[in-house]
Amino acid sequence: MYFAALLARTEDGWEASDTELDDVETLSDLADLAREASPDEDTVLVLIEQEGAWFGVVRVDGEDDPRIYVSDASAAARSSYGELLLTDELLGREPGDGAPDLDALDLDGTEDGEPEDDADAAEPPAAAESTVPHGPVGDAEILEDLGVSEKELRSLTEDALTEIAEALGASETLETVR
């Protein structure tokens, strides 16, 4: 089960809205969605969690590049929403590292479930997940100026988004969209 919400900082405090991520395919799409939530180019936080497995925070400040923090990269890598956040740059890879080279794949018909005749066939390319570290990745200081230190962020667990919202003074606001 996933939960995703936008928290936009305004002159009057934080405004929350739940968000549907089904049409979001890239981090750029997600950043654009966040920017739409704040016409004044104020800070917008995209909060995403998968029950007890991982959470992510994407911070968009105006037209600046999004800043990202993911609590458990290996758990997020097994999630379509997590894959949005785990960019090559965030994982310290060159673009394309860890992804199978389509020109090198042997598409001999066995991909349809037919058994291979050659028992000595090469192993399939390593999955991209193997290059994803266990544990947190990204900018752990993402919420430092908003009252959540790096140490606090790294120690959050089960109810991380609620704890973040409490630290921001936005817990009631976030609960309205939960």
Side-chain angles (χ1 to χ4, degrees):
M1 181 84 165
Y2 292 95
F3 172 72
L6 297 173
L7 277 181
R9 188 161 70 175
T10 68
E11 291 177 6
D12 300 324
W14 291 95
E15 291 182 7
S17 57
D18 60 344
T19 187
E20 188 62 44
L21 298 179
D22 291 343
D23 295 332
V24 175
E25 295 180 7
T26 65
L27 181 59
S28 294
D29 293 344
L30 187 60
D32 290 343
L33 181 69
R35 288 183 184 103
E36 290 171 12
S38 178
D40 296 330
E41 296 190 6
D42 290 322
T43 298
V44 178
L45 302 176
V46 180
L47 306 174
I48 303 171
E49 72 179 352
Q50 181 184 4
E51 284 182 6
W54 66 275
F55 71 91
V57 178
V58 178
R59 179 177 177 161
V60 178
D61 294 301
E63 291 300 317
D64 292 348
D65 287 342
R67 295 168 58 192
I68 305 165
Y69 175 80
V70 176
S71 66
D72 186 338
S74 63
R78 294 185 296 271
S79 153
S80 59
Y81 294 142
E83 288 179 346
L84 284 173
L85 308 181
L86 297 175
T87 63
D88 288 334
E89 180 181 346
L90 187 70
L91 296 173
R93 302 187 299 215
E94 290 296 318
D97 282 0
D101 178 4
L102 296 180
D103 294 331
L105 292 177
D106 181 18
L107 301 178
D108 61 0
T110 59
E111 65 274 2
D112 293 329
E114 299 172 18
E116 281 190 42
D117 292 332
D118 184 6
D120 297 325
E123 291 294 315
E129 290 178 21
S130 66
T131 62
V132 176
H134 292 278
V137 295
D139 184 354
E141 297 176 355
I142 192 170
L143 302 173
E144 190 90 29
D145 64 324
L146 299 174
V148 181
S149 71
E150 175 180 351
K151 182 179 178 182
E152 291 169 322
L153 187 63
R154 289 183 185 272
S155 69
L156 297 176
T157 56
E158 287 291 316
D159 207 12
L161 299 190
T162 299
E163 292 177 42
I164 289 170
E166 285 175 9
L168 300 175
S171 58
E172 288 180 20
T173 305
L174 183 64
E175 285 305 312
T176 63
V177 297
R178 243 190 216 273

Coordinates of all heavy atoms in Angstrom, one line a residue, residues 17 20-21 31 35 42 45 52 74 78 88 107 109 113 126 128 142-143 147 155 157 177:
S17 N -2.1 18.2 -0.2 CA -3.0 17.6 -1.2 C -2.5 16.2 -1.5 O -1.3 16.0 -1.6 CB -3.1 18.4 -2.5 OG -1.8 18.6 -3.1
E20 N -2.0 11.7 -7.1 CA -2.0 10.4 -7.9 C -0.8 10.4 -8.7 O -0.5 11.3 -9.5 CB -3.3 10.4 -8.8 CG -3.5 9.1 -9.4 CD -3.7 7.9 -8.5 OE1 -4.5 8.1 -7.5 OE2 -3.1 6.9 -8.7
L21 N 0.0 9.3 -8.6 CA 1.3 9.2 -9.3 C 1.2 8.3 -10.5 O 2.2 8.1 -11.1 CB 2.4 8.8 -8.3 CG 2.7 9.7 -7.2 CD1 3.7 9.1 -6.3 CD2 3.1 11.1 -7.6
A31 N 8.6 16.5 -10.4 CA 9.0 17.9 -10.1 C 8.0 18.9 -10.7 O 7.6 19.9 -10.0 CB 10.4 18.2 -10.6
R35 N 5.7 21.6 -8.7 CA 5.7 23.0 -9.0 C 4.3 23.6 -9.3 O 4.0 24.7 -8.9 CB 6.6 23.3 -10.2 CG 8.1 23.2 -9.9 CD 9.0 23.5 -11.1 NE 10.3 23.3 -10.7 CZ 11.0 22.2 -11.1 NH1 10.5 21.3 -11.9 NH2 12.3 22.0 -10.7
D42 N 7.1 28.6 -4.0 CA 7.5 28.2 -2.6 C 8.0 26.8 -2.6 O 7.9 26.0 -3.5 CB 6.4 28.4 -1.7 CG 6.0 29.9 -1.5 OD1 6.9 30.7 -1.4 OD2 4.8 30.2 -1.4
L45 N 7.1 19.8 -0.9 CA 7.6 18.5 -0.5 C 6.7 17.4 -1.1 O 5.5 17.5 -0.9 CB 7.7 18.3 1.0 CG 8.6 19.3 1.7 CD1 8.5 19.1 3.2 CD2 10.0 19.3 1.3
G52 N 5.7 0.7 5.9 CA 6.8 0.1 6.7 C 8.1 -0.3 5.9 O 9.0 -0.7 6.5
S74 N 17.3 -0.1 -1.5 CA 17.0 -1.5 -2.1 C 15.5 -1.8 -2.0 O 15.0 -2.4 -2.9 CB 17.8 -2.5 -1.3 OG 17.5 -2.6 0.0
R78 N 12.4 -2.0 -5.6 CA 11.4 -3.0 -6.0 C 10.1 -2.4 -6.2 O 9.1 -3.1 -6.3 CB 11.4 -4.1 -4.9 CG 12.7 -4.8 -4.8 CD 12.7 -6.0 -3.9 NE 12.5 -5.6 -2.5 CZ 13.5 -5.3 -1.6 NH1 14.7 -5.3 -2.1 NH2 13.2 -5.0 -0.4
D88 N 20.1 7.6 -11.6 CA 21.5 7.2 -11.7 C 22.3 8.2 -10.9 O 23.2 7.7 -10.2 CB 21.9 7.3 -13.2 CG 21.4 6.1 -14.0 OD1 21.0 5.1 -13.4 OD2 21.2 6.3 -15.2
L107 N 18.1 -12.7 -27.8 CA 16.6 -13.0 -27.9 C 16.4 -14.1 -28.9 O 16.1 -13.9 -30.1 CB 15.9 -11.7 -28.4 CG 16.1 -10.5 -27.5 CD1 15.4 -9.3 -28.0 CD2 15.6 -10.8 -26.1
G109 N 14.2 -16.6 -28.6 CA 12.9 -17.3 -28.5 C 12.7 -17.9 -27.1 O 11.6 -18.2 -26.8
G113 N 9.5 -18.5 -22.6 CA 9.3 -19.6 -21.7 C 9.7 -20.9 -22.3 O 9.6 -22.0 -21.6
A126 N 23.1 -9.0 -14.9 CA 22.7 -8.7 -13.5 C 21.6 -7.7 -13.5 O 21.6 -6.7 -14.3 CB 23.9 -8.2 -12.8
A128 N 19.4 -4.5 -12.3 CA 19.8 -3.2 -11.8 C 19.8 -3.1 -10.3 O 20.5 -2.3 -9.7 CB 18.9 -2.1 -12.4
I142 N 18.0 17.4 3.5 CA 16.9 18.0 2.7 C 15.9 18.8 3.5 O 15.3 19.7 3.0 CB 16.2 16.8 2.0 CG1 15.2 17.3 0.9 CG2 15.5 15.9 2.9 CD1 14.7 16.2 0.0
L143 N 15.7 18.4 4.8 CA 14.7 19.1 5.7 C 15.4 19.9 6.8 O 14.7 20.4 7.7 CB 13.7 18.1 6.2 CG 12.9 17.3 5.2 CD1 12.1 16.2 5.9 CD2 12.1 18.2 4.4
G147 N 13.6 22.1 10.2 CA 13.5 21.6 11.5 C 13.7 20.1 11.7 O 13.5 19.6 12.8
S155 N 16.8 8.4 11.4 CA 16.2 7.6 12.5 C 14.7 7.3 12.3 O 14.2 6.5 13.1 CB 16.5 8.2 13.8 OG 15.8 9.3 14.0
T157 N 11.2 5.7 11.2 CA 10.9 4.4 10.7 C 9.5 4.3 10.3 O 9.1 4.9 9.3 CB 11.2 3.4 11.9 OG1 10.4 3.8 13.0 CG2 12.7 3.3 12.2
V177 N -5.5 14.6 4.2 CA -5.4 13.9 2.9 C -5.1 12.5 3.0 O -5.0 11.8 2.0 CB -4.4 14.6 1.9 CG1 -4.9 16.0 1.6 CG2 -3.0 14.6 2.5

